[in-house]
Amino acid sequence: MRKFTCLLLFLIPLDLLAQQFKPVQDLIKRRAPWLENQVVFKSLKSGEKDIAELQSQGNKLVITASGPNAAAVGLNWYLKYYCHRSMSHMGDNLAPVTSIPMVKELVRIEAPAKYRYALNYCTYNYTMSFYDWKDWEHELDWMALNGVNLMLTVNGMEAVWQSTLKQIGYSDQEINDFLVGPAYTAWWLMGNIQGWGGPMPQSQIDGRKMLQQRMMERMKELGIEPVLQGFYGMVPSSLKDKTKAPIIDQKTWGAFKRPDILIPGHTDFSRIAGIYYKELKKAYGKNIRFFAGDPFHEGGITDGIDLKEAGRSIQTEMLRSFPGSTWVLQGWQDNPKQKMLEGLDKSHVLVQELFGEFTNNWEKRNGYDSTPFIWCVVNNFGERPGLYGKLQRFADEVDRIGKSPYKDLFKGVGIMPEGLNNNPPVYDLMLELGWRKDHVDVKKWVTDYTKYRYGSTNKDIDVAWQGFLETIYQSLPGYQEGASESVFCIRPALDSKPASRWGTRERNYDSAKFKEAVLEFAKAAPEFRHSDTYQIDLINMLRQVLANDGEVVFQAMGKAYQEKNTDEFTRLSGQFLDMIRLTDDLLSSHPYYQLNTYKAQALSLGKTKEEKALNIKNAMMLITYWGENIRTEDNLHEYAYKEWGGLIKDFYLVRWEMYIDYLLDNLRGKNTQAPDFFMWERAWVEQNLEVKPESQVKPLDQITAEILTLKTGVQ
């Protein structure tokens, strides 16, 4: 009996070990089944750092790791740097490798970064509004492979707020007036808007809660800690009509009425915070260690609030409900406010340097007043298209912080894009920096990147990517919110305004040099005709060439109009419209770039007729006029514009045709009224809520030849 007991005690750790790495084995089955019987996982004891070791033993790859997250990184290292395979948001390159590569010498990968963080509130809408479980499973596999161990997770907060508000006397209608639609949850949770895009059906509230629970379960298996929404005092603006509690009216965020702020530190604040956290525990568990939530995000009114006491009170309620938890704050503009930081227990705070590709607030603010912080990049705003990323700056700045007086406060790196479906090298490099001790030379790194992105090495691709590092991915100083925008997608006008209110149409690189690099890249097309990742990137590079050339034609077109040269304006405007049509042909050649793909995603997520109708309306508003119907506050139109096949032809082209016809009438002496784009855009959304039949498209090689031999015709 004693021997049997000892045997059981011996077997228990082995069973636990097998269970620990089973999620990574399951990941292999999903993404690289050709490796399923080739990898053995073993446990590695380590201190606080995450470590993975790789070495072949016999005909097996042995990954020895400190936990499932490190094991997934070890797997990804092998996939990328030995098998030349990878996952991304812009296509996967995971075709079977027939002869499994050997790792002859021990390879050790150690994470100097304690935290490898992912996601912005905005990512949940610009990219993930209509993710189903299949999409999230892909997302979480990618996160694990890239070593993310801390991730914003705010999918199902509607259910928590619904339960909270019911307990303080709100009716179903009043709750509906506060919750937003599925494409607008980011700005609701950040305290910018309420009610817009809703009401959300109960079936959808319940479905989002279940999806969040499923996500959190998978995240736990893969070693990814969730960051949930904390209570920082945001309340419906209607609450001041129901209580005498001290509430600050937060006025508006652009055209939108903001939720109000219940002043922290008062009895009602503690009471509602307690209810909120109790409901959050019931929905998502008690073992949550990280909470986000920034009061006064992008403005807001702080008059009458003692910020130091407010910060202390918000943190106190968080810690009361979840002892030992950490408040994650965005380092964005003047956030977190200095006075608020002064009231906090810094050992339970983590600040995200949000816009690291431009800012160095970690330095200017003395390590955020000696607060633990991570360094992150946004890189993209509105998930607008465009090729952009200060790659070498990422590597240089992470290295510089690690050698600075604030190195002990520096706890990791992160990606906080407003949208993820763009510029995959940005996200790969940033997260890999969390696993590299030495300074990275991006010129060398990118040659390995292209090999694992496309599956093999190629001389033309290598030359092209060195050209991309000198143009679209160079690290010039200066402020810029994401990639340079396309003139094809601006609300038509003969001026230099960008498509979005805060963007730019200026090119900070040599467009001719970029086009030369694209020509080199296109030479590899015959060899990589079966590579989805190559096809996706080629289309994107060609799209950028057309957008760049379109700017040249547009400037000449405007000059011809000012000079009242009707013939020249007619010729150039015709060429300009043809370039928009060619852009639509290009983007329609792959499902990744088609509007119908996005529409189908929104519709398929809906489980009822009501959900489908809400989803598609939210989806189409977000990518066109964004929201609200107040002309004087119409600043968000095109903030999330997309260059997609179908959208280019049916929306942007038609809009430009209307405007050019109006200008031609002016040149010919006809007194016609200017198009009312404000009303037209809203009507267009209502008329385009279905998936349209696919039209015949030209082969990509034919389109490529047309673009690369295109003459702008500018004199």
Short mmCIF file of all heavy atoms in Angstrom, two decimals, residues 121 161 186-192 229-235 258-264 269 273 276-277 292-297 310 314 318 327 329 340:
data_model
loop_
_atom_site.label_atom_id
_atom_site.label_comp_id
_atom_site.label_asym_id
_atom_site.label_seq_id
_atom_site.Cartn_x
_atom_site.Cartn_y
_atom_site.Cartn_z
N TYR A 121 -7.76 49.70 -26.39
CA TYR A 121 -9.23 49.63 -26.40
C TYR A 121 -9.75 49.67 -27.84
O TYR A 121 -10.65 48.92 -28.21
CB TYR A 121 -9.81 50.82 -25.63
CG TYR A 121 -9.83 50.67 -24.13
CD1 TYR A 121 -8.78 51.14 -23.36
CD2 TYR A 121 -10.90 50.06 -23.49
CE1 TYR A 121 -8.79 51.02 -21.98
CE2 TYR A 121 -10.93 49.93 -22.11
CZ TYR A 121 -9.87 50.41 -21.35
OH TYR A 121 -9.89 50.27 -19.99
N TRP A 161 -22.05 45.82 -16.61
CA TRP A 161 -22.72 47.10 -16.41
C TRP A 161 -24.24 46.92 -16.31
O TRP A 161 -24.90 47.60 -15.52
CB TRP A 161 -22.37 48.05 -17.55
CG TRP A 161 -21.17 48.88 -17.22
CD1 TRP A 161 -19.91 48.75 -17.70
CD2 TRP A 161 -21.13 49.96 -16.29
NE1 TRP A 161 -19.08 49.68 -17.14
CE2 TRP A 161 -19.79 50.44 -16.27
CE3 TRP A 161 -22.08 50.57 -15.46
CZ2 TRP A 161 -19.40 51.51 -15.46
CZ3 TRP A 161 -21.69 51.63 -14.66
CH2 TRP A 161 -20.37 52.10 -14.66
N ALA A 186 -15.17 50.54 -27.36
CA ALA A 186 -13.91 51.14 -26.91
C ALA A 186 -14.14 52.53 -26.32
O ALA A 186 -13.68 52.84 -25.22
CB ALA A 186 -12.92 51.22 -28.07
N TRP A 187 -14.87 53.35 -27.04
CA TRP A 187 -15.03 54.76 -26.63
C TRP A 187 -16.03 54.89 -25.50
O TRP A 187 -15.97 55.86 -24.74
CB TRP A 187 -15.40 55.59 -27.87
CG TRP A 187 -14.33 55.38 -28.89
CD1 TRP A 187 -13.11 56.00 -28.95
CD2 TRP A 187 -14.33 54.40 -29.94
NE1 TRP A 187 -12.36 55.48 -29.97
CE2 TRP A 187 -13.07 54.50 -30.60
CE3 TRP A 187 -15.25 53.46 -30.39
CZ2 TRP A 187 -12.74 53.69 -31.69
CZ3 TRP A 187 -14.91 52.66 -31.47
CH2 TRP A 187 -13.67 52.78 -32.10
N TRP A 188 -16.89 53.93 -25.37
CA TRP A 188 -17.78 53.87 -24.20
C TRP A 188 -16.95 53.57 -22.95
O TRP A 188 -17.02 54.29 -21.95
CB TRP A 188 -18.84 52.81 -24.45
CG TRP A 188 -19.67 52.41 -23.28
CD1 TRP A 188 -20.46 53.22 -22.52
CD2 TRP A 188 -19.80 51.09 -22.75
NE1 TRP A 188 -21.08 52.48 -21.54
CE2 TRP A 188 -20.70 51.17 -21.66
CE3 TRP A 188 -19.28 49.85 -23.09
CZ2 TRP A 188 -21.06 50.06 -20.90
CZ3 TRP A 188 -19.64 48.74 -22.35
CH2 TRP A 188 -20.51 48.85 -21.26
N LEU A 189 -16.14 52.54 -23.01
CA LEU A 189 -15.34 52.16 -21.84
C LEU A 189 -14.30 53.22 -21.49
O LEU A 189 -13.91 53.35 -20.33
CB LEU A 189 -14.67 50.81 -22.08
CG LEU A 189 -15.61 49.61 -22.18
CD1 LEU A 189 -14.85 48.36 -22.61
CD2 LEU A 189 -16.33 49.36 -20.85
N MET A 190 -13.85 53.97 -22.49
CA MET A 190 -12.90 55.04 -22.21
C MET A 190 -13.59 56.32 -21.73
O MET A 190 -12.93 57.34 -21.50
CB MET A 190 -12.04 55.32 -23.45
CG MET A 190 -11.06 54.20 -23.76
SD MET A 190 -9.86 54.59 -25.07
CE MET A 190 -10.91 54.59 -26.53
N GLY A 191 -14.90 56.27 -21.63
CA GLY A 191 -15.63 57.42 -21.10
C GLY A 191 -15.84 58.54 -22.10
O GLY A 191 -16.01 59.70 -21.72
N ASN A 192 -15.89 58.19 -23.40
CA ASN A 192 -16.07 59.21 -24.44
C ASN A 192 -17.51 59.31 -24.95
O ASN A 192 -17.95 60.40 -25.33
CB ASN A 192 -15.15 58.92 -25.64
CG ASN A 192 -13.68 58.89 -25.29
OD1 ASN A 192 -12.94 58.03 -25.75
ND2 ASN A 192 -13.24 59.80 -24.45
N GLN A 229 -11.76 45.66 -17.34
CA GLN A 229 -12.14 47.04 -17.09
C GLN A 229 -12.41 47.26 -15.62
O GLN A 229 -13.26 46.60 -15.02
CB GLN A 229 -13.39 47.39 -17.91
CG GLN A 229 -13.87 48.81 -17.76
CD GLN A 229 -13.00 49.81 -18.49
OE1 GLN A 229 -12.04 49.42 -19.15
NE2 GLN A 229 -13.31 51.08 -18.38
N GLY A 230 -11.70 48.22 -15.03
CA GLY A 230 -11.95 48.59 -13.64
C GLY A 230 -13.02 49.67 -13.54
O GLY A 230 -13.46 50.23 -14.55
N PHE A 231 -13.42 49.96 -12.32
CA PHE A 231 -14.40 51.03 -12.08
C PHE A 231 -13.65 52.29 -11.66
O PHE A 231 -12.98 52.30 -10.63
CB PHE A 231 -15.41 50.63 -11.00
CG PHE A 231 -16.47 51.68 -10.78
CD1 PHE A 231 -17.53 51.79 -11.65
CD2 PHE A 231 -16.37 52.57 -9.71
CE1 PHE A 231 -18.50 52.78 -11.47
CE2 PHE A 231 -17.34 53.54 -9.51
CZ PHE A 231 -18.41 53.66 -10.39
N TYR A 232 -13.74 53.33 -12.49
CA TYR A 232 -13.03 54.57 -12.18
C TYR A 232 -13.97 55.75 -11.98
O TYR A 232 -13.53 56.91 -11.90
CB TYR A 232 -12.00 54.89 -13.27
CG TYR A 232 -12.58 55.05 -14.66
CD1 TYR A 232 -13.07 56.27 -15.10
CD2 TYR A 232 -12.60 53.99 -15.56
CE1 TYR A 232 -13.59 56.44 -16.37
CE2 TYR A 232 -13.11 54.14 -16.84
CZ TYR A 232 -13.60 55.37 -17.24
OH TYR A 232 -14.12 55.52 -18.51
N GLY A 233 -15.27 55.47 -11.88
CA GLY A 233 -16.24 56.53 -11.62
C GLY A 233 -17.13 56.86 -12.79
O GLY A 233 -18.05 57.68 -12.66
N MET A 234 -16.90 56.24 -13.96
CA MET A 234 -17.77 56.48 -15.11
C MET A 234 -19.18 55.98 -14.80
O MET A 234 -19.35 54.83 -14.36
CB MET A 234 -17.24 55.74 -16.34
CG MET A 234 -18.10 55.95 -17.58
SD MET A 234 -17.57 54.95 -19.01
CE MET A 234 -18.39 53.38 -18.67
N VAL A 235 -20.17 56.83 -15.02
CA VAL A 235 -21.57 56.47 -14.80
C VAL A 235 -22.42 57.10 -15.90
O VAL A 235 -22.00 58.07 -16.54
CB VAL A 235 -22.08 56.96 -13.42
CG1 VAL A 235 -21.43 56.18 -12.29
CG2 VAL A 235 -21.87 58.46 -13.25
N ARG A 258 -20.72 62.68 -23.27
CA ARG A 258 -19.89 61.74 -22.51
C ARG A 258 -20.67 61.21 -21.31
O ARG A 258 -21.57 61.89 -20.78
CB ARG A 258 -18.64 62.44 -21.98
CG ARG A 258 -17.69 62.96 -23.02
CD ARG A 258 -16.49 63.63 -22.41
NE ARG A 258 -15.54 62.64 -21.94
CZ ARG A 258 -14.22 62.68 -22.14
NH1 ARG A 258 -13.68 63.70 -22.78
NH2 ARG A 258 -13.43 61.74 -21.69
N PRO A 259 -20.34 60.01 -20.83
CA PRO A 259 -20.80 59.59 -19.51
C PRO A 259 -20.23 60.56 -18.46
O PRO A 259 -19.24 61.24 -18.71
CB PRO A 259 -20.21 58.19 -19.33
CG PRO A 259 -19.87 57.74 -20.71
CD PRO A 259 -19.51 58.97 -21.48
N ASP A 260 -20.85 60.60 -17.31
CA ASP A 260 -20.39 61.48 -16.24
C ASP A 260 -19.39 60.76 -15.34
O ASP A 260 -19.18 59.55 -15.46
CB ASP A 260 -21.57 61.99 -15.42
CG ASP A 260 -22.41 63.01 -16.19
OD1 ASP A 260 -21.89 63.57 -17.19
OD2 ASP A 260 -23.57 63.25 -15.81
N ILE A 261 -18.82 61.52 -14.41
CA ILE A 261 -17.90 60.96 -13.42
C ILE A 261 -18.50 61.14 -12.02
O ILE A 261 -18.80 62.27 -11.60
CB ILE A 261 -16.52 61.64 -13.47
CG1 ILE A 261 -15.77 61.23 -14.74
CG2 ILE A 261 -15.68 61.28 -12.24
CD1 ILE A 261 -15.28 59.80 -14.78
N LEU A 262 -18.70 60.03 -11.36
CA LEU A 262 -19.09 60.01 -9.95
C LEU A 262 -17.82 60.25 -9.14
O LEU A 262 -16.86 59.49 -9.27
CB LEU A 262 -19.72 58.66 -9.62
CG LEU A 262 -20.11 58.36 -8.17
CD1 LEU A 262 -21.16 59.34 -7.67
CD2 LEU A 262 -20.60 56.93 -8.05
N ILE A 263 -17.80 61.32 -8.36
CA ILE A 263 -16.55 61.71 -7.70
C ILE A 263 -16.08 60.61 -6.75
O ILE A 263 -16.81 60.21 -5.83
CB ILE A 263 -16.72 63.04 -6.94
CG1 ILE A 263 -17.05 64.17 -7.91
CG2 ILE A 263 -15.44 63.37 -6.18
CD1 ILE A 263 -17.20 65.52 -7.26
N PRO A 264 -14.87 60.09 -6.99
CA PRO A 264 -14.33 59.06 -6.09
C PRO A 264 -14.13 59.60 -4.68
O PRO A 264 -13.91 60.80 -4.48
CB PRO A 264 -12.98 58.71 -6.74
CG PRO A 264 -13.11 59.13 -8.17
CD PRO A 264 -13.97 60.35 -8.14
N PHE A 269 -19.73 56.34 -4.40
CA PHE A 269 -18.69 55.77 -5.25
C PHE A 269 -18.30 54.39 -4.75
O PHE A 269 -18.22 53.43 -5.52
CB PHE A 269 -17.46 56.69 -5.26
CG PHE A 269 -16.34 56.17 -6.13
CD1 PHE A 269 -16.27 56.51 -7.47
CD2 PHE A 269 -15.37 55.32 -5.62
CE1 PHE A 269 -15.26 56.01 -8.28
CE2 PHE A 269 -14.35 54.82 -6.41
CZ PHE A 269 -14.30 55.17 -7.76
N ALA A 273 -18.94 51.00 -6.86
CA ALA A 273 -17.74 50.25 -7.18
C ALA A 273 -17.84 48.83 -6.64
O ALA A 273 -17.47 47.86 -7.32
CB ALA A 273 -16.50 50.94 -6.62
N TYR A 276 -20.19 46.85 -8.83
CA TYR A 276 -19.55 46.58 -10.13
C TYR A 276 -18.55 45.43 -10.01
O TYR A 276 -18.58 44.48 -10.81
CB TYR A 276 -18.85 47.85 -10.62
CG TYR A 276 -18.07 47.67 -11.90
CD1 TYR A 276 -18.68 47.87 -13.14
CD2 TYR A 276 -16.73 47.30 -11.88
CE1 TYR A 276 -17.97 47.70 -14.32
CE2 TYR A 276 -16.02 47.12 -13.07
CZ TYR A 276 -16.64 47.32 -14.27
OH TYR A 276 -15.94 47.15 -15.45
N TYR A 277 -17.69 45.48 -9.02
CA TYR A 277 -16.67 44.44 -8.89
C TYR A 277 -17.29 43.09 -8.48
O TYR A 277 -16.79 42.03 -8.88
CB TYR A 277 -15.60 44.88 -7.90
CG TYR A 277 -14.65 45.90 -8.46
CD1 TYR A 277 -14.46 47.13 -7.84
CD2 TYR A 277 -13.93 45.65 -9.63
CE1 TYR A 277 -13.58 48.09 -8.35
CE2 TYR A 277 -13.06 46.59 -10.16
CZ TYR A 277 -12.89 47.81 -9.52
OH TYR A 277 -12.03 48.74 -10.05
N ALA A 292 -7.82 47.94 -16.13
CA ALA A 292 -7.59 49.18 -16.87
C ALA A 292 -8.74 50.14 -16.58
O ALA A 292 -9.76 49.76 -16.00
CB ALA A 292 -7.49 48.88 -18.36
N GLY A 293 -8.57 51.35 -17.03
CA GLY A 293 -9.61 52.36 -16.86
C GLY A 293 -8.99 53.70 -16.53
O GLY A 293 -8.38 53.86 -15.47
N ASP A 294 -9.15 54.67 -17.45
CA ASP A 294 -8.51 55.98 -17.29
C ASP A 294 -9.57 57.07 -17.19
O ASP A 294 -10.21 57.41 -18.19
CB ASP A 294 -7.62 56.26 -18.49
CG ASP A 294 -6.45 55.30 -18.59
OD1 ASP A 294 -6.66 54.17 -19.08
OD2 ASP A 294 -5.35 55.66 -18.17
N PRO A 295 -9.75 57.64 -16.01
CA PRO A 295 -10.69 58.77 -15.91
C PRO A 295 -10.16 59.97 -16.68
O PRO A 295 -8.95 60.17 -16.78
CB PRO A 295 -10.74 59.05 -14.41
CG PRO A 295 -9.53 58.43 -13.83
CD PRO A 295 -9.14 57.30 -14.72
N PHE A 296 -11.07 60.73 -17.27
CA PHE A 296 -10.74 61.97 -18.00
C PHE A 296 -9.88 61.70 -19.23
O PHE A 296 -9.02 62.48 -19.59
CB PHE A 296 -10.05 62.98 -17.07
CG PHE A 296 -10.66 63.04 -15.70
CD1 PHE A 296 -9.97 62.59 -14.60
CD2 PHE A 296 -11.95 63.52 -15.53
CE1 PHE A 296 -10.53 62.62 -13.34
CE2 PHE A 296 -12.53 63.56 -14.26
CZ PHE A 296 -11.83 63.11 -13.17
N HIS A 297 -10.15 60.57 -19.88
CA HIS A 297 -9.42 60.21 -21.10
C HIS A 297 -9.73 61.22 -22.20
O HIS A 297 -10.89 61.50 -22.48
CB HIS A 297 -9.84 58.80 -21.53
CG HIS A 297 -9.28 58.37 -22.85
ND1 HIS A 297 -7.99 57.92 -23.00
CD2 HIS A 297 -9.82 58.35 -24.09
CE1 HIS A 297 -7.77 57.62 -24.26
NE2 HIS A 297 -8.87 57.87 -24.94
N ALA A 310 -8.81 61.30 -5.54
CA ALA A 310 -9.61 60.50 -6.47
C ALA A 310 -8.84 59.25 -6.89
O ALA A 310 -9.38 58.13 -6.89
CB ALA A 310 -9.98 61.32 -7.69
N ILE A 314 -10.01 55.36 -6.17
CA ILE A 314 -10.22 54.38 -7.25
C ILE A 314 -9.39 53.13 -6.99
O ILE A 314 -9.87 52.00 -7.10
CB ILE A 314 -9.86 55.00 -8.62
CG1 ILE A 314 -10.84 56.12 -8.98
CG2 ILE A 314 -9.86 53.93 -9.71
CD1 ILE A 314 -10.41 56.97 -10.16
N MET A 318 -10.52 49.13 -5.93
CA MET A 318 -10.01 48.04 -6.77
C MET A 318 -9.32 46.99 -5.89
O MET A 318 -9.57 45.77 -6.02
CB MET A 318 -9.02 48.62 -7.79
CG MET A 318 -8.59 47.71 -8.90
SD MET A 318 -7.45 48.58 -10.03
CE MET A 318 -8.54 49.78 -10.77
N TRP A 327 -3.34 48.44 -11.24
CA TRP A 327 -4.08 49.37 -12.08
C TRP A 327 -3.20 49.73 -13.26
O TRP A 327 -2.10 50.26 -13.11
CB TRP A 327 -4.43 50.62 -11.27
CG TRP A 327 -5.39 51.57 -11.96
CD1 TRP A 327 -6.01 51.40 -13.15
CD2 TRP A 327 -5.82 52.84 -11.46
NE1 TRP A 327 -6.80 52.48 -13.44
CE2 TRP A 327 -6.71 53.38 -12.42
CE3 TRP A 327 -5.54 53.57 -10.30
CZ2 TRP A 327 -7.32 54.63 -12.25
CZ3 TRP A 327 -6.14 54.81 -10.13
CH2 TRP A 327 -7.03 55.33 -11.09
N LEU A 329 -2.53 51.95 -16.44
CA LEU A 329 -2.89 53.29 -16.89
C LEU A 329 -2.18 53.64 -18.20
O LEU A 329 -1.02 53.28 -18.40
CB LEU A 329 -2.52 54.33 -15.83
CG LEU A 329 -3.32 54.28 -14.53
CD1 LEU A 329 -2.63 55.09 -13.45
CD2 LEU A 329 -4.73 54.81 -14.76
N MET A 340 -2.87 62.68 -9.89
CA MET A 340 -3.50 61.39 -9.61
C MET A 340 -2.45 60.34 -9.26
O MET A 340 -2.64 59.53 -8.35
CB MET A 340 -4.34 60.94 -10.81
CG MET A 340 -5.12 59.66 -10.56
SD MET A 340 -6.37 59.35 -11.82
CE MET A 340 -7.63 60.52 -11.34
#
